[in-house]
Amino acid sequence: MNFVIIGGDAAGMSAASRARRTMPDLKVTVLEKTMDVSYSACGMPYNIAEPHKKIDDLVVRHAHVFREKQDINLLTGHYVDHIDLAGKTVGGASVDNQKFEFPYDKLLIATGASPIIPDLPGFDLPGVMGLKSLEDGRKIKHFLKDRSVKKVIIIGMGYIALEMAEALCARDIKVDMVKPRPVFLPWLDEQMAQVVKDEVKTNDVNMYPGHKVERIDQATTGRLSVVCSDLTLEGDMVLVAVGITPNSDMAEKAGIELGIKKSIAVDRGLKTSDENIYAAGDCADAFHIVTGQKAWIPLALRANRAGWAVADNVCGKDVQLPGIVGTSVFKVFELEVARTGLNAQAAEKAGFDPVEVTIKTRSRAHAHSGSLTIWLRMTGDRKTGRLLGTEMVGKEGVAHRINAPAVALHGHMTVEMFGQSDMAYAPPFGPVWDPMLTTANQLLKKI
Ligand SMILES: Cc1cc2nc3c(=O)[nH]c(=O)nc-3n(C[C@H](O)[C@H](O)[C@H](O)COP(=O)(O)OP(=O)(O)OC[C@H]3O[C@@H](n4cnc5c(N)ncnc54)[C@H](O)[C@@H]3O)c2cc1C
């Protein structure tokens, strides 16, 4: 049987490796348009922060290992431009302009997502960069070094923009951030978003929310200007980090059904509207466990997990994934920012009757030195008492603590059940009543 995979990163290579392990006589072909496979995109801001580190350090497994040790027919520099559902073939062209066509019995689309580049003048100028692929990271590293960049303008204020602000500051590069919407981190509690904003400003990053970018100009010196109606910011480089969009055009053209935000619609077994075609990772949607509805939340774990599930299903098992709850975490300077599930606004949209509490608590027992503030917002449903989501901000004890409510959401726990959970305690790690339990108990009073 021919198992063909389009895309050779998290979802694609997870599927290829697992399929090969499970079914040694399966013919596995991976078609990847770039020359890079199996790398940690998530590590790029941290790698960029360190000029002496090679971007290729982020490669988890090199192409030759897949080819020589795992017997996977991995073809890099192979851009797939069409899928023929009736003929069960995929085709395209390689970097050296050779046309190719591969037959498949089972196909996985694992094409990921692309950065959104606004259709405005100047976004194609040299020095205007996006950060999605390893090649993007490589280009940014070279540019920073070759041009001795002193100042960068970041358009966008999401998690990748913030991680990059920190990375550039670590290299003593000045950073200005600008975005059209006035609200910073709109999904986060206002007070908690202010804590994050203060942290960014304390690190000498200038933030300009609420300014619509009109164009980017370039002077003869090469210096770039980001022009808004009421503001102009100048720098040596511009990073565009305004979001990503699923790479689903090819699937759509082939006649495969799309779902939310133009991601490829899949069932719990990752199958698309075509019997022989699966989709996994950033290009595909998923079921949200809290709402029961489809969601598009592009993150690394779900891409890897979906890749595994596809491999299992191609190899004859029947794996059905329960779904996601949107658990995510990022670091910005000293702060950890995490969330899982829904906030009240999203919960209301999904038909719940949400109630929430926000509390300020401590990361360690009250008499333990070094204790730091943790801000926590928790949302529950008045009608059913269900826990719906949690957000946290703080300098310690946030990143891993978010996994407790994430697991509770998977288990459809009520706030009361969650508040009764037996959580660990020792003074260096938290108060005897863990911040999660304190917040759940406060929320329970309001439900
Ligand atoms: C800077 C950065 C930081 C991140 N940090 C985090 C984090 O901290 N935590 C987290 O959970 N997630 C993070 N992510 C997101 C995470 O990296 C993605 O969710 C994950 O890589 C998705 O894997 P994927 O396989 O679906 O897609 P991708 O990793 O995008 O891989 C898709 C592959 O398909 C190839 N391809 C696309 N179209 C074609 C075609 N037509 N023909 C052939 N090949 C094609 C692409 O070249 C690419 O190699 C981060 C992403 C970035 C960019």
Side-chain angles (χ1 to χ4, degrees), residues 6-12 31-34 36 39 41-45 78-81 110-113 131-133 159-160 163 247 250 280-283 298-301 303 329:
I6 312 172
D9 193 28
L31 303 164
E32 165 56 49
K33 67 176 178 182
T34 70
D36 299 304
Y39 58 86
C42 316
M44 285 197 290
H78 277 61
Y79 179 79
V80 179
D81 59 21
T111 46
L131 179 62
K132 183 69 178 85
S133 65
Y159 83 93
I160 293 177
E163 287 178 352
N247 291 328
M250 181 173 47
D282 283 3
C283 64
L299 287 168
L301 172 63
V329 63

mmCIF file of all heavy atoms in Angstrom, residues 6-12 31-34 36 39 41-45 78-81 110-113 131-133 159-160 163 247 250 280-283 298-301 303 329, ligand 1:
data_model
loop_
_atom_site.group_PDB
_atom_site.id
_atom_site.type_symbol
_atom_site.label_atom_id
_atom_site.label_comp_id
_atom_site.label_asym_id
_atom_site.label_seq_id
_atom_site.Cartn_x
_atom_site.Cartn_y
_atom_site.Cartn_z
ATOM 1 N N ILE A 6 1.866 14.833 2.349
ATOM 2 C CA ILE A 6 2.299 16.154 1.856
ATOM 3 C C ILE A 6 2.635 17.008 3.068
ATOM 4 O O ILE A 6 1.760 17.320 3.881
ATOM 5 C CB ILE A 6 1.198 16.851 1.016
ATOM 6 C CG1 ILE A 6 0.602 15.900 -0.027
ATOM 7 C CG2 ILE A 6 1.754 18.113 0.352
ATOM 8 C CD1 ILE A 6 -0.628 16.467 -0.748
ATOM 9 N N GLY A 7 3.913 17.370 3.221
ATOM 10 C CA GLY A 7 4.349 18.191 4.358
ATOM 11 C C GLY A 7 5.194 17.376 5.317
ATOM 12 O O GLY A 7 4.753 16.341 5.823
ATOM 13 N N GLY A 8 6.420 17.866 5.559
ATOM 14 C CA GLY A 8 7.373 17.056 6.335
ATOM 15 C C GLY A 8 7.787 17.664 7.654
ATOM 16 O O GLY A 8 8.966 17.654 8.005
ATOM 17 N N ASP A 9 6.804 18.189 8.406
ATOM 18 C CA ASP A 9 7.200 18.677 9.732
ATOM 19 C C ASP A 9 6.426 17.914 10.811
ATOM 20 O O ASP A 9 6.348 16.676 10.750
ATOM 21 C CB ASP A 9 7.038 20.204 9.822
ATOM 22 C CG ASP A 9 7.735 20.782 11.041
ATOM 23 O OD1 ASP A 9 8.725 20.198 11.501
ATOM 24 O OD2 ASP A 9 7.276 21.816 11.555
ATOM 25 N N ALA A 10 5.854 18.635 11.766
ATOM 26 C CA ALA A 10 5.319 17.977 12.970
ATOM 27 C C ALA A 10 4.322 16.854 12.638
ATOM 28 O O ALA A 10 4.559 15.679 12.984
ATOM 29 C CB ALA A 10 4.678 19.026 13.864
ATOM 30 N N ALA A 11 3.225 17.209 11.958
ATOM 31 C CA ALA A 11 2.192 16.204 11.689
ATOM 32 C C ALA A 11 2.683 15.174 10.678
ATOM 33 O O ALA A 11 2.515 13.960 10.872
ATOM 34 C CB ALA A 11 0.923 16.890 11.185
ATOM 35 N N GLY A 12 3.312 15.665 9.600
ATOM 36 C CA GLY A 12 3.721 14.775 8.513
ATOM 37 C C GLY A 12 4.761 13.758 8.932
ATOM 38 O O GLY A 12 4.600 12.550 8.687
ATOM 39 N N LEU A 31 6.414 14.210 0.723
ATOM 40 C CA LEU A 31 6.764 15.266 -0.230
ATOM 41 C C LEU A 31 6.797 16.594 0.505
ATOM 42 O O LEU A 31 5.762 17.049 1.017
ATOM 43 C CB LEU A 31 5.728 15.295 -1.363
ATOM 44 C CG LEU A 31 5.576 13.962 -2.102
ATOM 45 C CD1 LEU A 31 4.294 13.933 -2.913
ATOM 46 C CD2 LEU A 31 6.789 13.698 -2.979
ATOM 47 N N GLU A 32 7.967 17.181 0.612
ATOM 48 C CA GLU A 32 8.139 18.422 1.379
ATOM 49 C C GLU A 32 8.715 19.486 0.454
ATOM 50 O O GLU A 32 9.731 19.273 -0.197
ATOM 51 C CB GLU A 32 9.064 18.158 2.583
ATOM 52 C CG GLU A 32 9.617 19.398 3.254
ATOM 53 C CD GLU A 32 8.571 20.404 3.736
ATOM 54 O OE1 GLU A 32 7.608 20.001 4.408
ATOM 55 O OE2 GLU A 32 8.735 21.597 3.422
ATOM 56 N N LYS A 33 8.066 20.647 0.436
ATOM 57 C CA LYS A 33 8.487 21.678 -0.542
ATOM 58 C C LYS A 33 9.819 22.343 -0.184
ATOM 59 O O LYS A 33 10.546 22.775 -1.060
ATOM 60 C CB LYS A 33 7.391 22.737 -0.714
ATOM 61 C CG LYS A 33 7.137 23.607 0.495
ATOM 62 C CD LYS A 33 6.099 24.683 0.186
ATOM 63 C CE LYS A 33 5.836 25.508 1.432
ATOM 64 N NZ LYS A 33 4.837 26.523 1.255
ATOM 65 N N THR A 34 10.127 22.453 1.108
ATOM 66 C CA THR A 34 11.390 23.097 1.492
ATOM 67 C C THR A 34 12.483 22.024 1.592
ATOM 68 O O THR A 34 12.250 20.846 1.325
ATOM 69 C CB THR A 34 11.261 23.806 2.859
ATOM 70 O OG1 THR A 34 11.137 22.821 3.889
ATOM 71 C CG2 THR A 34 10.065 24.738 2.903
ATOM 72 N N ASP A 36 13.889 21.517 4.531
ATOM 73 C CA ASP A 36 13.932 21.230 5.975
ATOM 74 C C ASP A 36 12.788 20.312 6.377
ATOM 75 O O ASP A 36 11.661 20.504 5.930
ATOM 76 C CB ASP A 36 13.804 22.537 6.774
ATOM 77 C CG ASP A 36 14.940 23.493 6.465
ATOM 78 O OD1 ASP A 36 16.101 23.091 6.635
ATOM 79 O OD2 ASP A 36 14.660 24.643 6.052
ATOM 80 N N TYR A 39 11.551 19.805 12.443
ATOM 81 C CA TYR A 39 12.269 20.772 13.279
ATOM 82 C C TYR A 39 11.294 21.414 14.266
ATOM 83 O O TYR A 39 10.077 21.342 14.101
ATOM 84 C CB TYR A 39 12.931 21.843 12.403
ATOM 85 C CG TYR A 39 11.960 22.589 11.524
ATOM 86 C CD1 TYR A 39 11.275 23.709 11.981
ATOM 87 C CD2 TYR A 39 11.701 22.155 10.223
ATOM 88 C CE1 TYR A 39 10.373 24.376 11.183
ATOM 89 C CE2 TYR A 39 10.794 22.818 9.414
ATOM 90 C CZ TYR A 39 10.132 23.929 9.909
ATOM 91 O OH TYR A 39 9.226 24.570 9.125
ATOM 92 N N ALA A 41 9.728 24.498 15.265
ATOM 93 C CA ALA A 41 9.421 25.908 14.963
ATOM 94 C C ALA A 41 9.296 26.696 16.265
ATOM 95 O O ALA A 41 9.684 27.863 16.339
ATOM 96 C CB ALA A 41 8.133 25.985 14.158
ATOM 97 N N CYS A 42 8.777 26.009 17.292
ATOM 98 C CA CYS A 42 8.535 26.680 18.583
ATOM 99 C C CYS A 42 9.833 27.198 19.201
ATOM 100 O O CYS A 42 9.828 28.129 19.994
ATOM 101 C CB CYS A 42 7.860 25.716 19.556
ATOM 102 S SG CYS A 42 6.531 24.771 18.803
ATOM 103 N N GLY A 43 10.952 26.572 18.849
ATOM 104 C CA GLY A 43 12.228 26.967 19.435
ATOM 105 C C GLY A 43 12.877 28.140 18.704
ATOM 106 O O GLY A 43 13.901 28.662 19.160
ATOM 107 N N MET A 44 12.276 28.571 17.590
ATOM 108 C CA MET A 44 12.964 29.585 16.767
ATOM 109 C C MET A 44 13.222 30.909 17.489
ATOM 110 O O MET A 44 14.344 31.426 17.419
ATOM 111 C CB MET A 44 12.217 29.800 15.449
ATOM 112 C CG MET A 44 12.440 28.650 14.488
ATOM 113 S SD MET A 44 12.004 29.034 12.785
ATOM 114 C CE MET A 44 10.227 29.125 12.868
ATOM 115 N N PRO A 45 12.238 31.485 18.206
ATOM 116 C CA PRO A 45 12.549 32.754 18.889
ATOM 117 C C PRO A 45 13.729 32.619 19.851
ATOM 118 O O PRO A 45 14.568 33.521 19.936
ATOM 119 C CB PRO A 45 11.252 33.075 19.643
ATOM 120 C CG PRO A 45 10.179 32.379 18.861
ATOM 121 C CD PRO A 45 10.818 31.123 18.362
ATOM 122 N N HIS A 78 10.158 19.264 -2.985
ATOM 123 C CA HIS A 78 9.054 18.762 -3.818
ATOM 124 C C HIS A 78 7.758 19.476 -3.436
ATOM 125 O O HIS A 78 7.157 19.178 -2.398
ATOM 126 C CB HIS A 78 8.881 17.245 -3.649
ATOM 127 C CG HIS A 78 9.822 16.454 -4.496
ATOM 128 N ND1 HIS A 78 11.194 16.559 -4.365
ATOM 129 C CD2 HIS A 78 9.584 15.557 -5.493
ATOM 130 C CE1 HIS A 78 11.770 15.758 -5.247
ATOM 131 N NE2 HIS A 78 10.822 15.133 -5.943
ATOM 132 N N TYR A 79 7.380 20.423 -4.273
ATOM 133 C CA TYR A 79 6.170 21.209 -4.019
ATOM 134 C C TYR A 79 4.969 20.540 -4.690
ATOM 135 O O TYR A 79 4.945 20.345 -5.907
ATOM 136 C CB TYR A 79 6.351 22.634 -4.559
ATOM 137 C CG TYR A 79 5.139 23.496 -4.362
ATOM 138 C CD1 TYR A 79 4.864 24.068 -3.125
ATOM 139 C CD2 TYR A 79 4.250 23.733 -5.412
ATOM 140 C CE1 TYR A 79 3.736 24.847 -2.925
ATOM 141 C CE2 TYR A 79 3.115 24.513 -5.229
ATOM 142 C CZ TYR A 79 2.873 25.065 -3.988
ATOM 143 O OH TYR A 79 1.750 25.831 -3.796
ATOM 144 N N VAL A 80 3.994 20.168 -3.896
ATOM 145 C CA VAL A 80 2.787 19.522 -4.449
ATOM 146 C C VAL A 80 1.798 20.628 -4.811
ATOM 147 O O VAL A 80 1.494 21.482 -3.965
ATOM 148 C CB VAL A 80 2.156 18.556 -3.429
ATOM 149 C CG1 VAL A 80 0.901 17.905 -4.014
ATOM 150 C CG2 VAL A 80 3.157 17.485 -3.002
ATOM 151 N N ASP A 81 1.304 20.622 -6.078
ATOM 152 C CA ASP A 81 0.358 21.689 -6.433
ATOM 153 C C ASP A 81 -1.030 21.174 -6.790
ATOM 154 O O ASP A 81 -1.933 21.958 -7.037
ATOM 155 C CB ASP A 81 0.934 22.599 -7.538
ATOM 156 C CG ASP A 81 1.266 21.837 -8.813
ATOM 157 O OD1 ASP A 81 0.715 20.734 -9.002
ATOM 158 O OD2 ASP A 81 2.088 22.331 -9.601
ATOM 159 N N ALA A 110 -0.616 17.397 5.322
ATOM 160 C CA ALA A 110 -0.051 17.952 6.567
ATOM 161 C C ALA A 110 0.748 19.196 6.194
ATOM 162 O O ALA A 110 1.933 19.311 6.480
ATOM 163 C CB ALA A 110 0.822 16.906 7.257
ATOM 164 N N THR A 111 0.040 20.109 5.509
ATOM 165 C CA THR A 111 0.706 21.269 4.893
ATOM 166 C C THR A 111 0.834 22.469 5.828
ATOM 167 O O THR A 111 1.363 23.508 5.421
ATOM 168 C CB THR A 111 -0.058 21.693 3.616
ATOM 169 O OG1 THR A 111 -1.463 21.717 3.928
ATOM 170 C CG2 THR A 111 0.186 20.744 2.478
ATOM 171 N N GLY A 112 0.338 22.358 7.056
ATOM 172 C CA GLY A 112 0.541 23.426 8.033
ATOM 173 C C GLY A 112 -0.213 24.703 7.710
ATOM 174 O O GLY A 112 -1.306 24.680 7.120
ATOM 175 N N ALA A 113 0.394 25.819 8.079
ATOM 176 C CA ALA A 113 -0.238 27.125 7.875
ATOM 177 C C ALA A 113 0.817 28.100 7.388
ATOM 178 O O ALA A 113 2.015 27.813 7.446
ATOM 179 C CB ALA A 113 -0.832 27.621 9.195
ATOM 180 N N LEU A 131 7.778 34.837 10.254
ATOM 181 C CA LEU A 131 8.473 33.725 10.924
ATOM 182 C C LEU A 131 7.530 32.537 11.048
ATOM 183 O O LEU A 131 6.629 32.526 11.876
ATOM 184 C CB LEU A 131 8.955 34.155 12.322
ATOM 185 C CG LEU A 131 9.687 33.067 13.128
ATOM 186 C CD1 LEU A 131 10.952 32.618 12.426
ATOM 187 C CD2 LEU A 131 10.008 33.549 14.534
ATOM 188 N N LYS A 132 7.729 31.563 10.170
ATOM 189 C CA LYS A 132 6.927 30.339 10.242
ATOM 190 C C LYS A 132 7.821 29.123 10.019
ATOM 191 O O LYS A 132 7.845 28.214 10.823
ATOM 192 C CB LYS A 132 5.788 30.383 9.196
ATOM 193 C CG LYS A 132 4.848 29.190 9.249
ATOM 194 C CD LYS A 132 3.996 29.193 10.498
ATOM 195 C CE LYS A 132 3.012 28.032 10.571
ATOM 196 N NZ LYS A 132 3.631 26.808 11.145
ATOM 197 N N SER A 133 8.578 29.151 8.922
ATOM 198 C CA SER A 133 9.398 27.977 8.597
ATOM 199 C C SER A 133 10.818 28.153 9.136
ATOM 200 O O SER A 133 11.221 29.257 9.517
ATOM 201 C CB SER A 133 9.458 27.813 7.078
ATOM 202 O OG SER A 133 10.140 28.922 6.516
ATOM 203 N N TYR A 159 1.440 35.879 20.527
ATOM 204 C CA TYR A 159 2.502 35.227 21.278
ATOM 205 C C TYR A 159 3.834 35.149 20.522
ATOM 206 O O TYR A 159 4.894 35.333 21.116
ATOM 207 C CB TYR A 159 2.056 33.867 21.835
ATOM 208 C CG TYR A 159 2.140 32.684 20.894
ATOM 209 C CD1 TYR A 159 3.264 31.885 20.867
ATOM 210 C CD2 TYR A 159 1.088 32.345 20.063
ATOM 211 C CE1 TYR A 159 3.341 30.783 20.020
ATOM 212 C CE2 TYR A 159 1.149 31.252 19.213
ATOM 213 C CZ TYR A 159 2.276 30.479 19.188
ATOM 214 O OH TYR A 159 2.347 29.398 18.354
ATOM 215 N N ILE A 160 3.790 34.947 19.199
ATOM 216 C CA ILE A 160 5.052 34.870 18.451
ATOM 217 C C ILE A 160 5.705 36.254 18.410
ATOM 218 O O ILE A 160 6.917 36.391 18.583
ATOM 219 C CB ILE A 160 4.825 34.286 17.041
ATOM 220 C CG1 ILE A 160 4.412 32.805 17.176
ATOM 221 C CG2 ILE A 160 6.084 34.406 16.168
ATOM 222 C CD1 ILE A 160 4.085 32.097 15.886
ATOM 223 N N GLU A 163 7.248 36.737 21.868
ATOM 224 C CA GLU A 163 8.462 35.918 22.038
ATOM 225 C C GLU A 163 9.622 36.522 21.251
ATOM 226 O O GLU A 163 10.768 36.527 21.705
ATOM 227 C CB GLU A 163 8.206 34.478 21.569
ATOM 228 C CG GLU A 163 7.324 33.680 22.519
ATOM 229 C CD GLU A 163 7.021 32.260 22.026
ATOM 230 O OE1 GLU A 163 7.364 31.911 20.878
ATOM 231 O OE2 GLU A 163 6.428 31.502 22.790
ATOM 232 N N ASN A 247 -2.961 26.208 5.285
ATOM 233 C CA ASN A 247 -2.620 25.929 3.887
ATOM 234 C C ASN A 247 -3.608 24.894 3.346
ATOM 235 O O ASN A 247 -3.330 23.692 3.370
ATOM 236 C CB ASN A 247 -1.187 25.401 3.784
ATOM 237 C CG ASN A 247 -0.164 26.466 4.102
ATOM 238 O OD1 ASN A 247 -0.380 27.651 3.843
ATOM 239 N ND2 ASN A 247 0.956 26.062 4.680
ATOM 240 N N MET A 250 -5.025 23.981 -1.879
ATOM 241 C CA MET A 250 -4.895 22.827 -2.768
ATOM 242 C C MET A 250 -6.016 21.804 -2.481
ATOM 243 O O MET A 250 -6.618 21.256 -3.403
ATOM 244 C CB MET A 250 -3.525 22.184 -2.539
ATOM 245 C CG MET A 250 -3.255 21.005 -3.407
ATOM 246 S SD MET A 250 -1.560 20.431 -3.214
ATOM 247 C CE MET A 250 -1.308 20.366 -1.478
ATOM 248 N N ALA A 280 -4.045 16.634 8.950
ATOM 249 C CA ALA A 280 -3.618 16.734 10.352
ATOM 250 C C ALA A 280 -2.738 17.959 10.553
ATOM 251 O O ALA A 280 -2.033 18.385 9.647
ATOM 252 C CB ALA A 280 -2.831 15.471 10.737
ATOM 253 N N GLY A 281 -2.799 18.504 11.758
ATOM 254 C CA GLY A 281 -1.948 19.641 12.132
ATOM 255 C C GLY A 281 -2.598 20.973 11.829
ATOM 256 O O GLY A 281 -3.833 21.090 11.771
ATOM 257 N N ASP A 282 -1.755 21.983 11.588
ATOM 258 C CA ASP A 282 -2.244 23.357 11.425
ATOM 259 C C ASP A 282 -3.191 23.553 10.244
ATOM 260 O O ASP A 282 -3.903 24.550 10.194
ATOM 261 C CB ASP A 282 -1.055 24.317 11.222
ATOM 262 C CG ASP A 282 -0.326 24.624 12.521
ATOM 263 O OD1 ASP A 282 -0.701 24.050 13.567
ATOM 264 O OD2 ASP A 282 0.615 25.443 12.479
ATOM 265 N N CYS A 283 -3.153 22.643 9.261
ATOM 266 C CA CYS A 283 -4.034 22.830 8.108
ATOM 267 C C CYS A 283 -5.451 22.303 8.367
ATOM 268 O O CYS A 283 -6.355 22.552 7.578
ATOM 269 C CB CYS A 283 -3.447 22.144 6.860
ATOM 270 S SG CYS A 283 -3.313 20.353 7.005
ATOM 271 N N PRO A 298 -4.147 26.250 16.064
ATOM 272 C CA PRO A 298 -2.930 25.629 15.530
ATOM 273 C C PRO A 298 -1.793 25.578 16.545
ATOM 274 O O PRO A 298 -1.130 26.578 16.790
ATOM 275 C CB PRO A 298 -2.577 26.545 14.349
ATOM 276 C CG PRO A 298 -3.171 27.877 14.691
ATOM 277 C CD PRO A 298 -4.336 27.633 15.586
ATOM 278 N N LEU A 299 -1.556 24.405 17.110
ATOM 279 C CA LEU A 299 -0.486 24.227 18.100
ATOM 280 C C LEU A 299 0.230 22.897 17.870
ATOM 281 O O LEU A 299 -0.301 21.994 17.217
ATOM 282 C CB LEU A 299 -1.066 24.285 19.517
ATOM 283 C CG LEU A 299 -1.492 25.690 19.985
ATOM 284 C CD1 LEU A 299 -2.317 25.598 21.251
ATOM 285 C CD2 LEU A 299 -0.302 26.622 20.195
ATOM 286 N N ALA A 300 1.423 22.796 18.478
ATOM 287 C CA ALA A 300 2.329 21.698 18.129
ATOM 288 C C ALA A 300 1.865 20.313 18.591
ATOM 289 O O ALA A 300 1.938 19.348 17.838
ATOM 290 C CB ALA A 300 3.711 21.990 18.692
ATOM 291 N N LEU A 301 1.413 20.200 19.854
ATOM 292 C CA LEU A 301 1.070 18.866 20.360
ATOM 293 C C LEU A 301 -0.035 18.222 19.529
ATOM 294 O O LEU A 301 0.039 17.050 19.172
ATOM 295 C CB LEU A 301 0.656 18.934 21.839
ATOM 296 C CG LEU A 301 0.105 17.634 22.416
ATOM 297 C CD1 LEU A 301 1.158 16.521 22.391
ATOM 298 C CD2 LEU A 301 -0.423 17.824 23.834
ATOM 299 N N ALA A 303 -0.743 18.689 16.498
ATOM 300 C CA ALA A 303 -0.244 18.306 15.170
ATOM 301 C C ALA A 303 0.455 16.946 15.255
ATOM 302 O O ALA A 303 0.201 16.045 14.455
ATOM 303 C CB ALA A 303 0.706 19.366 14.642
ATOM 304 N N VAL A 329 0.707 28.062 26.308
ATOM 305 C CA VAL A 329 1.513 28.821 27.258
ATOM 306 C C VAL A 329 2.615 29.527 26.482
ATOM 307 O O VAL A 329 3.081 29.014 25.464
ATOM 308 C CB VAL A 329 2.107 27.879 28.343
ATOM 309 C CG1 VAL A 329 3.053 26.848 27.767
ATOM 310 C CG2 VAL A 329 2.812 28.655 29.445
HETATM 311 C C1 LIG B 1 7.823 30.931 15.884
HETATM 312 C C2 LIG B 1 6.837 29.870 16.267
HETATM 313 C C3 LIG B 1 6.701 29.512 17.590
HETATM 314 C C4 LIG B 1 5.779 28.536 17.963
HETATM 315 N N1 LIG B 1 5.682 28.210 19.276
HETATM 316 C C5 LIG B 1 4.799 27.250 19.639
HETATM 317 C C6 LIG B 1 4.715 26.843 21.002
HETATM 318 O O1 LIG B 1 5.435 27.356 21.863
HETATM 319 N N2 LIG B 1 3.820 25.875 21.318
HETATM 320 C C7 LIG B 1 3.016 25.282 20.381
HETATM 321 O O2 LIG B 1 2.224 24.402 20.739
HETATM 322 N N3 LIG B 1 3.100 25.632 19.078
HETATM 323 C C8 LIG B 1 3.967 26.594 18.689
HETATM 324 N N4 LIG B 1 4.071 26.931 17.367
HETATM 325 C C9 LIG B 1 3.161 26.286 16.388
HETATM 326 C C10 LIG B 1 3.705 24.933 15.920
HETATM 327 O O3 LIG B 1 5.006 25.101 15.438
HETATM 328 C C11 LIG B 1 2.773 24.393 14.846
HETATM 329 O O4 LIG B 1 1.513 24.200 15.416
HETATM 330 C C12 LIG B 1 3.278 23.080 14.253
HETATM 331 O O5 LIG B 1 4.529 23.239 13.637
HETATM 332 C C13 LIG B 1 2.283 22.579 13.207
HETATM 333 O O6 LIG B 1 2.809 21.452 12.581
HETATM 334 P P1 LIG B 1 2.302 21.029 11.124
HETATM 335 O O7 LIG B 1 3.043 19.802 10.760
HETATM 336 O O8 LIG B 1 0.828 21.005 11.074
HETATM 337 O O9 LIG B 1 2.694 22.253 10.168
HETATM 338 P P2 LIG B 1 4.137 22.830 9.790
HETATM 339 O O10 LIG B 1 5.054 22.683 10.933
HETATM 340 O O11 LIG B 1 3.875 24.204 9.265
HETATM 341 O O12 LIG B 1 4.604 21.890 8.600
HETATM 342 C C14 LIG B 1 3.961 21.902 7.362
HETATM 343 C C15 LIG B 1 4.960 21.478 6.305
HETATM 344 O O13 LIG B 1 4.297 21.325 5.056
HETATM 345 C C16 LIG B 1 5.125 21.852 4.033
HETATM 346 N N5 LIG B 1 4.251 22.188 2.896
HETATM 347 C C17 LIG B 1 3.255 23.106 2.877
HETATM 348 N N6 LIG B 1 2.649 23.117 1.673
HETATM 349 C C18 LIG B 1 3.278 22.183 0.909
HETATM 350 C C19 LIG B 1 3.088 21.737 -0.423
HETATM 351 N N7 LIG B 1 2.137 22.231 -1.205
HETATM 352 N N8 LIG B 1 3.911 20.768 -0.903
HETATM 353 C C20 LIG B 1 4.880 20.226 -0.093
HETATM 354 N N9 LIG B 1 5.096 20.625 1.171
HETATM 355 C C21 LIG B 1 4.293 21.574 1.683
HETATM 356 C C22 LIG B 1 5.775 23.058 4.676
HETATM 357 O O14 LIG B 1 6.943 23.457 4.014
HETATM 358 C C23 LIG B 1 6.044 22.530 6.097
HETATM 359 O O15 LIG B 1 7.306 21.938 6.210
HETATM 360 C C24 LIG B 1 4.985 27.904 16.963
HETATM 361 C C25 LIG B 1 5.125 28.251 15.619
HETATM 362 C C26 LIG B 1 6.049 29.225 15.271
HETATM 363 C C27 LIG B 1 6.188 29.604 13.823
#
